[in-house]
Amino acid sequence: MSSTAATGWLAAQLPRALAADPVVHGFVAAFEEIADSVRDRIDSIEHQLDVGLASPEMLQFLASWLGLELEPTDPPEYQRELVREVGQLLGWRGTRYGIEGLLAAATGSRVLVDDGGGVYGQRDEIPPPDPTVTVRLDHTGHLTEQQVRGILEAELPLGAELRLDVRFPSRGEGGPGQRRNRPADPGDGTEAGGAGGR
């Protein structure tokens, strides 16, 4: 075999006479390089779809599939965990369980949602409709109350009236119109600031 013959995987498939031609060799080498780059991208696609391994650009793209907008200033591990949690909760969006999981992932806080809904039997007395959804958090993490409200407004059903109670608000919050009530402990039957509140 001629010393000018290519040793690449594509050139190795050429007939001997063509493999010895330098012009054909150059064309085949160029096509081989293009094919190798495409093949490398295809081979790495499983890693790009893995939230733990995806590049920052691909992570942003995956987040957009889920309707999630990542802040570029957030730490990479926080972004990866948020995309992972939102992906797992996709089928629960708009439900109590989904909202609790989403806010817990976004804030790192314990979250309790009370939507007044329920399942009733034929003979059960059905209470009057109440559109109020109360969301209680210990804290908002690195988010502001306004950002938490933005998340909730995108997730809650139309017509829902939001009541947000943050036990330990971040410093610098609590301007006009923001709730500063401290919620009562879950299960004690009292509302924040009520007679039984702390």
Side-chain angles (χ1 to χ4, degrees):
M1 191 172 197
S2 168
S3 61
T4 59
T7 58
W9 61 271
L10 188 56
Q13 299 176 45
L14 289 172
R16 186 174 297 194
L18 291 177
D21 186 313
V23 175
V24 173
H25 176 273
F27 275 120
V28 171
F31 290 131
E32 189 174 287
E33 187 176 332
I34 293 168
D36 283 343
S37 67
V38 171
R39 198 163 60 175
D40 287 345
R41 289 183 182 178
I42 292 170
D43 288 345
S44 69
I45 193 69
E46 65 181 293
H47 302 296
Q48 289 297 329
L49 294 176
D50 183 331
V51 174
L53 302 172
S55 65
E57 296 79 15
M58 188 61 174
L59 195 64
Q60 288 277 356
F61 188 59
L62 292 173
S64 72
W65 285 359
L66 301 171
L68 186 64
E69 189 174 331
L70 297 179
E71 292 291 334
T73 55
D74 287 338
E77 283 313 307
Y78 170 81
Q79 292 182 355
R80 292 180 190 284
E81 185 60 27
L82 188 57
V83 171
R84 184 180 293 113
E85 287 297 318
V86 170
Q88 291 174 351
L89 294 168
L90 195 57
W92 294 94
R93 284 191 75 167
T95 66
R96 178 179 178 174
Y97 176 79
I99 292 169
E100 287 177 348
L102 174 61
L103 279 186
T107 64
S109 173
R110 181 181 59 144
V111 182
L112 296 172
V113 175
D114 181 11
D115 61 4
V119 178
Y120 305 98
Q122 290 180 347
R123 294 184 176 84
D124 291 341
E125 184 178 338
I126 300 174
D130 181 3
T132 304
V133 176
T134 302
V135 179
R136 294 183 176 91
L137 296 91
D138 287 342
H139 56 81
T140 60
H142 74 285
L143 302 179
T144 64
E145 283 192 28
Q146 185 177 3
Q147 288 173 311
V148 170
R149 284 181 183 277
I151 292 171
L152 288 167
E153 286 167 8
E155 294 297 315
L156 291 176
L158 287 175
E161 296 176 12
L162 173 62
R163 178 172 182 254
L164 178 62
D165 285 316
V166 181
R167 182 180 294 264
F168 304 112
S170 302
R171 291 182 184 192
E173 295 222 29
Q178 289 187 325
R179 297 188 62 84
R180 300 296 290 192
N181 293 357
R182 179 178 173 175
D185 287 332
D188 70 358
T190 62
E191 285 296 324
R198 293 181 187 170

